Amino acid sequence: MTEITVLTTFHQEGLDVYGQRFLDSFAKNIDKRIKLLVYAETCTPTNPDTNQITVLDAKEVLPKLNAFKDKWGNVPKANGVCPFPEKRPRDHHKKFKWDAVRFANKVYAVFDAVEKLQNNNWVVWMDADTFVHNAITYEQFQDLLPNDKWITYVGRGKGSQTWPECGFYGLNIQNKTCKDFIAEFKRMYDEAENGIFNLIEWHDSFVFGHVLEKFKLKDNNFYDYSANIYNKTAKSGGGGHPLINSILGNYFDHMKGARKNLGKSKRSDLINVSCLLYTSDAADEEDSVDLGGRRII
């Protein structure tokens, strides 16, 4: 059997707004053979199924993250202050693009999980602001992770010139290309001055995309969930919410950004509204959609 482990992380505010809901929906709807590893950042979630879900204290088990924060925690350029505003006049105020410390929680959890789970076949990152709205069997989850691919990810349309949507990605950690990819991804943070800080942005999705593009040139056996969901290519990627418009939307809603407070994605996020079956509560709303209905493919 293919061993699959999902991982995520969140802090106290995240736990309160979306994290506990994610854990509960994971335990309710995902096959018990799929395990979840949670890196809790100074918070204590309620574990709905201790046989399926393992909760770790991120501060205790991630010493390299602690070292990264100790080194860069008080450095403005690593905490959302654009170091070259004259080169980025249109978006230098968008702090997330240079908030390396904030997003380091996520990547160091991935690096640690890969090391801990060396006997697994797949390690899957899933953002905690996700809601599992439909039951998914082991076989259906495995189909999302083709074993001939070294990585799966959510792009933003074929030919997109922007970063992937890193709310969900799968790492085939027994594959040599994947091992090399992870090593380089990690090096970008461990050697930050000669890594992430050489890029024009250093949030995790940008860094992930930068390393991914290099390795895609070496090995084209990758799976982009978004490849066939856009009718045309755009510099912005053709759309802002590719995850729910891909096959992943059959099972997951990703409440990124302001959607966290809404508790679900917006109707306007959907490229083809007619491809969904709505539940009755969503049918009366103009601005939001409950993805409780299964997508028609």
Side-chain angles (χ1 to χ4, degrees):
M1 184 179 77
T2 301
E3 294 290 334
I4 302 169
T5 300
V6 178
L7 72 138
T8 198
T9 187
F10 48 75
H11 48 31
Q12 183 65 57
E13 182 182 357
L15 171 63
D16 295 340
V17 177
Y18 52 80
Q20 189 63 54
R21 186 174 181 234
F22 169 63
L23 299 186
D24 294 342
S25 69
F26 191 101
K28 177 183 177 182
N29 287 318
I30 293 186
D31 192 298
K32 297 302 179 184
R33 288 171 286 181
I34 308 293
K35 306 302 181 183
L36 175 63
L37 193 59
V38 179
Y39 291 82
E41 303 166 23
T42 320
C43 62
T44 307
T46 299
N47 191 337
D49 187 341
T50 56
N51 291 320
Q52 184 180 27
I53 300 172
T54 300
V55 179
L56 302 174
D57 183 334
K59 191 167 184 62
E60 179 181 326
V61 302
L62 298 177
K64 292 183 178 179
L65 170 62
N66 296 332
F68 185 89
K69 288 184 173 182
D70 287 344
K71 184 172 183 178
W72 300 108
N74 294 314
V75 179
K77 74 172 184 179
N79 291 270
V81 177
C82 178
F84 30 73
E86 71 284 354
K87 297 181 181 178
R88 304 297 293 268
R90 295 178 59 185
D91 60 358
H92 68 87
H93 61 286
K94 297 179 180 178
K95 295 182 64 175
F96 81 92
K97 292 189 174 186
W98 296 280
D99 205 340
V101 171
R102 171 188 170 191
F103 292 108
N105 293 283
K106 178 174 176 177
V107 296
Y108 275 104
V110 172
F111 304 149
D112 184 75
V114 168
E115 187 174 332
K116 279 184 168 67
L117 301 168
Q118 292 183 23
N119 293 327
N120 271 227
N121 301 97
W122 286 90
V123 171
V124 179
W125 170 264
M126 194 182 300
D127 277 3
D129 55 351
T130 296
F131 178 67
V132 187
H133 58 74
N134 268 322
I136 178 169
T137 67
Y138 168 83
E139 290 75 19
Q140 288 169 325
F141 207 111
Q142 186 178 35
D143 285 346
L144 298 174
L145 306 167
N147 282 324
D148 63 326
K149 308 302 181 185
W150 63 270
I151 196 168
T152 72
Y153 69 99
V154 183
R156 296 180 187 269
K158 193 173 183 179
S160 172
Q161 297 178 37
T162 189
W163 58 81
E165 203 272 58
C166 285
F168 184 107
Y169 58 84
L171 301 169
N172 187 353
I173 64 172
Q174 301 303 324
N175 181 283
K176 185 180 185 307
T177 301
C178 188
K179 290 179 180 179
D180 293 343
F181 166 84
I182 294 166
E184 176 60 9
F185 192 20
K186 185 173 183 295
R187 186 201 66 79
M188 294 288 288
Y189 284 85
D190 289 345
E191 302 175 15
E193 286 285 24
N194 193 36
I196 60 173
F197 296 137
N198 281 336
L199 305 180
I200 59 172
E201 297 175 18
W202 34 79
H203 52 97
D204 69 287
S205 292
F206 192 92
V207 181
F208 177 94
H210 171 81
V211 180
L212 176 65
E213 288 305 310
K214 292 199 300 184
F215 280 86
K216 282 166 62 176
L217 295 175
K218 300 177 182 179
D219 189 336
N220 64 3
N221 285 320
F222 55 85
Y223 180 25
D224 177 359
Y225 299 106
S226 78
N228 298 313
I229 66 174
Y230 295 105
N231 294 324
K232 62 181 181 179
T233 297
K235 290 183 179 180
S236 64
H241 204 348
L243 191 152
I244 67 167
N245 285 287
S246 74
I247 191 174
L248 299 174
N250 285 347
Y251 313 105
F252 314 120
D253 186 10
H254 182 207
M255 290 157 288
K256 62 179 184 173
R259 301 171 186 84
K260 292 178 179 62
N261 294 320
L262 181 63
K264 53 189 171 184
S265 293
K266 302 174 183 178
R267 184 182 296 272
S268 59
D269 290 324
L270 298 171
I271 292 175
N272 182 6
V273 176
S274 64
C275 73
L276 289 178
L277 292 175
Y278 299 111
T279 55
S280 59
D281 64 326
D284 296 329
E285 299 179 19
E286 293 184 359
D287 297 325
S288 63
V289 57
D290 186 337
L291 297 181
R294 188 177 298 277
R295 184 184 299 274
I296 302 173
I297 299 297

